[in-house]
Amino acid sequence: MIPAKSSAAFVYQMEKVLEVYERPYNADFPVVCMDESPKQIIDYKQITASNGSKLQDSEYVRLGVAELFVAFEPLAGHREMTIEDDHTTTTWVNFMASQMDTQYKEAKKVTWVMDNFVTHKPENFYKVFPPAQAKAYLDRMDFVYTPKHGSWLNMAEIQFALVGRDALDKPFKSKKEVEAAVKIWEIAQNQLRKGANWQFTTEKARVKLKKLYPTI
């Protein structure tokens, strides 16, 4: 989705994201895309026929939602996926802090690309951690947000499309089943160092999305 008419706010945020994607790989200053997506957990009703055989009804029972969180580093070809119970502020902060404490423990500063979801705000670290700890995390993090109607600019969405196609294209009865399927896929992708060959640049945006740029 893109705006129906020109939008200085959209093109400003879009070009910020595209500028970040053009940076060369640097382990000290990695660019990481973060996103979250729900996976419905369902089961199908069982029917006992007159002869005693078990049949599966076409009607299913909703058993909740598993929340998939991903941190995807396109140039390194690495992704970390977790399965959470919800997508609250605390869950997001803890996910981000965990990434900074493990995968990016040695990085000097991490640039995070994500959408403008209400929980995705740096100030939320102060709601979860003591001030000194919150500031210590945030001093090592930069946040770049995709514009409204521009979530397609977040390369993390590609990961959800791929894991959905490769590993989650069937019903799951529990969060543990989802978690197991995702972990197998994640390990295989990381072993292959499957990154993203992003081709959409600022130069191309100014041509293909010219209508979005205000007329001067």
Side-chain angles (χ1 to χ4, degrees):
M1 294 178 62
I2 60 174
K5 56 184 179 180
S6 66
S7 170
F10 183 94
V11 298
Y12 165 73
Q13 288 184 273
M14 175 181 67
E15 291 200 356
K16 286 281 289 184
V17 172
L18 296 178
E19 180 275 328
V20 166
Y21 287 165
E22 291 177 15
R23 296 178 188 173
Y25 175 73
N26 188 332
D28 288 334
F29 300 93
V31 172
V32 186
C33 301
M34 180 273 158
D35 203 359
E36 52 195 83
S37 179
K39 171 64 180 178
Q40 184 73 54
I41 300 172
I42 63 175
D43 195 8
Y44 286 88
K45 292 182 178 180
Q46 300 294 320
I47 300 174
T48 302
S50 57
N51 61 4
S53 62
K54 300 292 184 179
L55 302 175
Q56 179 175 290
D57 194 352
S58 59
E59 184 178 352
Y60 61 83
V61 180
R62 295 180 184 272
L63 300 178
V65 174
E67 295 289 342
L68 280 68
F69 279 63
V70 65
F72 174 54
E73 190 178 351
L75 295 182
H78 186 86
R79 75 280 294 137
E80 295 282 333
M81 278 193 172
T82 66
I83 311 301
E84 308 292 347
D85 292 326
D86 54 50
H87 56 93
T88 63
T89 293
T90 300
T91 301
W92 174 78
V93 170
N94 284 329
F95 173 80
M96 298 292 286
S98 175
Q99 295 302 307
M100 297 301 294
D101 289 340
T102 56
Q103 182 66 20
Y104 301 105
K105 184 177 181 179
E106 304 301 324
K108 294 179 180 178
K109 181 163 281 191
V110 181
T111 297
W112 290 94
V113 177
M114 63 188 72
D115 62 29
N116 277 287
F117 193 58
V118 66
T119 61
H120 298 172
K121 305 300 180 184
E123 58 266 29
N124 287 334
F125 273 73
Y126 285 90
K127 298 179 181 178
V128 178
F129 297 115
Q133 189 176 2
K135 186 176 186 304
Y137 278 121
L138 295 173
D139 283 347
R140 299 177 51 235
M141 305 167 77
D142 276 334
F143 294 85
V144 177
Y145 296 102
T146 58
K148 185 179 180 181
H149 302 304
S151 62
W152 51 272
L153 288 161
N154 186 350
M155 283 193 263
E157 286 202 349
I158 300 172
Q159 297 304 295
F160 288 136
L162 292 174
V163 73
R165 181 195 67 190
D166 298 340
L168 300 179
D169 60 342
K170 61 180 180 181
F172 288 87
K173 298 180 182 180
S174 70
K175 175 185 168 184
K176 284 188 176 181
E177 288 184 4
V178 175
E179 196 166 27
V182 167
K183 181 56 64 174
I184 291 171
W185 180 87
E186 175 195 298
I187 292 172
Q189 293 295 302
N190 285 339
Q191 288 176 340
L192 294 172
R193 299 184 69 83
K194 295 284 287 184
N197 184 19
W198 187 263
Q199 297 292 318
F200 192 59
T201 63
T202 298
E203 183 180 2
K204 291 180 179 178
R206 291 176 179 177
V207 175
K208 294 186 177 182
L209 300 181
K210 183 179 180 180
K211 71 175 184 176
L212 299 183
Y213 285 76
T215 302
I216 300 175

